[in-house]
Amino acid sequence: MHIRIEGSDLPGRAGVAQADMLRLGNVHVGLQRGKDVVDRVSAGAPAAVWEFEVTSREVDGLLDVGGPYVHGRPGARFLYLSWGAVDGDAFAMFRRAKLLFGDIPTAALRAAHEGGGVLVGRLSLTDADGGPRCARVRPPEIVWQLT
Protein backbone atom coordinates (compact mmCIF):
# COMPACT_ATOMS: atom_id res chain seq x y z
CA MET A 1 0.00 0.00 0.00
CA HIS A 2 1.45 3.37 -1.02
CA ILE A 3 1.05 6.27 1.44
CA ARG A 4 1.93 9.95 1.10
CA ILE A 5 1.84 12.36 4.03
CA GLU A 6 1.69 16.03 3.01
CA GLY A 7 2.52 18.52 5.75
CA SER A 8 2.02 22.25 5.33
CA ASP A 9 2.42 25.33 7.54
CA LEU A 10 5.55 24.18 9.37
CA PRO A 11 6.04 26.05 12.66
CA GLY A 12 9.39 27.62 11.75
CA ARG A 13 7.56 29.63 9.07
CA ALA A 14 5.02 31.13 11.50
CA GLY A 15 5.55 34.62 12.91
CA VAL A 16 5.39 33.79 16.62
CA ALA A 17 8.02 33.72 19.36
CA GLN A 18 8.05 29.91 19.55
CA ALA A 19 8.75 29.74 15.82
CA ASP A 20 11.85 31.93 16.32
CA MET A 21 13.04 29.55 19.02
CA LEU A 22 12.48 26.59 16.68
CA ARG A 23 14.53 28.17 13.90
CA LEU A 24 17.39 28.86 16.30
CA GLY A 25 17.26 25.29 17.62
CA ASN A 26 17.60 23.71 14.14
CA VAL A 27 14.38 21.76 14.60
CA HIS A 28 13.37 19.15 12.03
CA VAL A 29 10.44 16.78 11.60
CA GLY A 30 10.69 13.34 10.06
CA LEU A 31 8.93 10.04 9.63
CA GLN A 32 9.75 7.46 12.27
CA ARG A 33 10.97 4.16 10.80
CA GLY A 34 11.44 1.72 13.65
CA LYS A 35 13.46 3.74 16.17
CA ASP A 36 15.08 5.98 13.53
CA VAL A 37 13.67 9.26 12.24
CA VAL A 38 14.16 9.45 8.48
CA ASP A 39 13.51 11.94 5.69
CA ARG A 40 13.86 14.87 8.08
CA VAL A 41 12.65 18.31 6.98
CA SER A 42 13.53 21.65 8.59
CA ALA A 43 10.77 23.31 10.64
CA GLY A 44 11.43 26.35 8.43
CA ALA A 45 10.63 24.57 5.16
CA PRO A 46 7.51 25.62 3.24
CA ALA A 47 6.18 22.03 3.21
CA ALA A 48 7.10 18.43 3.96
CA VAL A 49 6.16 15.31 2.00
CA TRP A 50 6.85 11.70 2.93
CA GLU A 51 6.11 8.79 0.56
CA PHE A 52 6.49 5.19 1.63
CA GLU A 53 5.04 1.71 1.44
CA VAL A 54 3.33 -0.33 4.14
CA THR A 55 2.20 -3.91 3.94
CA SER A 56 -1.47 -4.78 4.29
CA ARG A 57 -3.31 -8.06 4.74
CA GLU A 58 -6.63 -9.51 5.76
CA VAL A 59 -6.67 -11.10 9.23
CA ASP A 60 -9.95 -12.68 10.33
CA GLY A 61 -11.93 -10.34 8.08
CA LEU A 62 -10.10 -7.22 9.27
CA LEU A 63 -7.48 -5.22 7.39
CA ASP A 64 -4.12 -5.00 9.17
CA VAL A 65 -1.09 -2.94 8.16
CA GLY A 66 2.57 -3.44 8.96
CA GLY A 67 6.13 -2.70 8.03
CA PRO A 68 8.96 -0.62 9.43
CA TYR A 69 6.98 2.65 9.49
CA VAL A 70 3.99 1.16 11.31
CA HIS A 71 3.81 1.15 15.11
CA GLY A 72 1.33 -0.28 17.60
CA ARG A 73 -0.55 -3.52 18.04
CA PRO A 74 -3.14 -4.99 15.65
CA GLY A 75 -6.29 -2.90 15.71
CA ALA A 76 -4.39 0.15 16.95
CA ARG A 77 -1.73 0.75 14.28
CA PHE A 78 -0.28 4.21 13.68
CA LEU A 79 2.51 6.30 12.13
CA TYR A 80 4.78 8.78 13.93
CA LEU A 81 5.99 12.15 12.71
CA SER A 82 8.82 12.97 15.11
CA TRP A 83 10.17 16.43 15.99
CA GLY A 84 13.72 16.95 17.16
CA ALA A 85 16.70 19.26 17.35
CA VAL A 86 19.46 18.45 14.86
CA ASP A 87 23.12 18.84 15.75
CA GLY A 88 25.33 17.38 13.02
CA ASP A 89 24.17 13.77 12.63
CA ALA A 90 22.43 13.74 16.04
CA PHE A 91 18.64 14.02 16.28
CA ALA A 92 17.30 14.77 19.78
CA MET A 93 13.57 14.00 19.60
CA PHE A 94 11.30 16.10 21.81
CA ARG A 95 7.76 15.57 20.40
CA ARG A 96 5.81 13.23 18.13
CA ALA A 97 2.57 13.41 16.19
CA LYS A 98 0.60 10.16 16.05
CA LEU A 99 -1.41 9.39 12.89
CA LEU A 100 -3.78 6.47 13.50
CA PHE A 101 -4.85 4.10 10.76
CA GLY A 102 -8.18 3.81 12.60
CA ASP A 103 -8.91 7.44 11.66
CA ILE A 104 -8.64 6.71 7.93
CA PRO A 105 -12.03 6.23 6.24
CA THR A 106 -12.56 2.49 5.79
CA ALA A 107 -13.41 2.76 2.08
CA ALA A 108 -10.18 4.67 1.34
CA LEU A 109 -8.05 2.25 3.37
CA ARG A 110 -9.60 -0.80 1.67
CA ALA A 111 -9.22 0.73 -1.81
CA ALA A 112 -5.53 1.46 -1.12
CA HIS A 113 -5.11 -2.13 0.10
CA GLU A 114 -6.62 -3.39 -3.16
CA GLY A 115 -4.20 -1.27 -5.21
CA GLY A 116 -6.66 1.49 -6.00
CA GLY A 117 -4.30 4.44 -5.69
CA VAL A 118 -2.25 6.39 -3.19
CA LEU A 119 -3.55 7.00 0.32
CA VAL A 120 -2.83 10.66 1.10
CA GLY A 121 -2.95 12.33 4.52
CA ARG A 122 -2.82 16.15 4.59
CA LEU A 123 -2.22 18.14 7.75
CA SER A 124 -0.85 21.40 9.07
CA LEU A 125 2.32 20.81 11.07
CA THR A 126 1.71 23.83 13.31
CA ASP A 127 -0.65 23.60 16.28
CA ALA A 128 -3.02 26.32 17.52
CA ASP A 129 -0.27 27.84 19.70
CA GLY A 130 2.22 28.12 16.82
CA GLY A 131 4.34 25.15 17.88
CA PRO A 132 4.98 21.74 16.32
CA ARG A 133 1.81 19.65 15.95
CA CYS A 134 2.07 16.72 18.31
CA ALA A 135 0.02 14.08 20.16
CA ARG A 136 -2.79 12.27 18.35
CA VAL A 137 -3.76 14.04 15.14
CA ARG A 138 -7.40 13.36 14.35
CA PRO A 139 -9.75 14.54 11.64
CA PRO A 140 -10.40 17.34 10.83
CA GLU A 141 -6.76 18.25 11.65
CA ILE A 142 -5.75 15.55 9.18
CA VAL A 143 -7.67 14.77 6.01
CA TRP A 144 -7.25 11.33 4.43
CA GLN A 145 -8.22 10.57 0.84
CA LEU A 146 -7.40 8.19 -1.96
CA THR A 147 -5.87 9.73 -5.08
Side-chain angles (χ1 to χ4, degrees):
M1 178 184 314
H2 192 80
I3 297 178
R4 184 172 61 238
I5 305 296
E6 298 176 355
S8 61
D9 305 316
L10 278 81
R13 308 234 351 133
V16 298
Q18 187 171 8
D20 291 334
M21 182 180 71
L22 291 173
R23 277 193 295 274
L24 294 173
N26 199 21
V27 170
H28 285 66
V29 60
L31 182 64
Q32 192 163 327
R33 184 178 193 267
K35 293 184 179 189
D36 297 322
V37 178
V38 299
D39 300 329
R40 298 186 306 229
V41 176
S42 169
V49 177
W50 297 275
E51 291 195 49
F52 53 99
E53 298 286 328
V54 301
T55 60
S56 57
R57 63 189 178 119
E58 292 281 341
V59 178
D60 298 327
L62 299 173
L63 186 59
D64 190 27
V65 293
Y69 298 101
V70 178
H71 305 271
R73 59 180 170 69
R77 304 278 196 205
F78 58 90
L79 304 166
Y80 274 135
L81 296 180
S82 299
W83 295 92
V86 174
D87 184 11
D89 290 335
F91 181 82
M93 181 174 39
F94 63 86
R95 288 190 187 152
R96 293 192 287 200
K98 192 180 211 181
L99 314 178
L100 277 78
F101 281 91
D103 290 336
I104 300 171
T106 303
L109 188 61
R110 285 225 170 258
H113 165 68
E114 294 166 1
V118 177
L119 187 59
V120 179
R122 292 183 180 96
L123 72 157
S124 167
L125 292 173
T126 300
D127 67 15
D129 296 324
R133 181 164 307 280
C134 60
R136 184 176 179 179
V137 182
R138 305 212 49 200
E141 282 78 29
I142 186 166
V143 175
W144 290 99
Q145 68 181 55
L146 193 68
T147 61

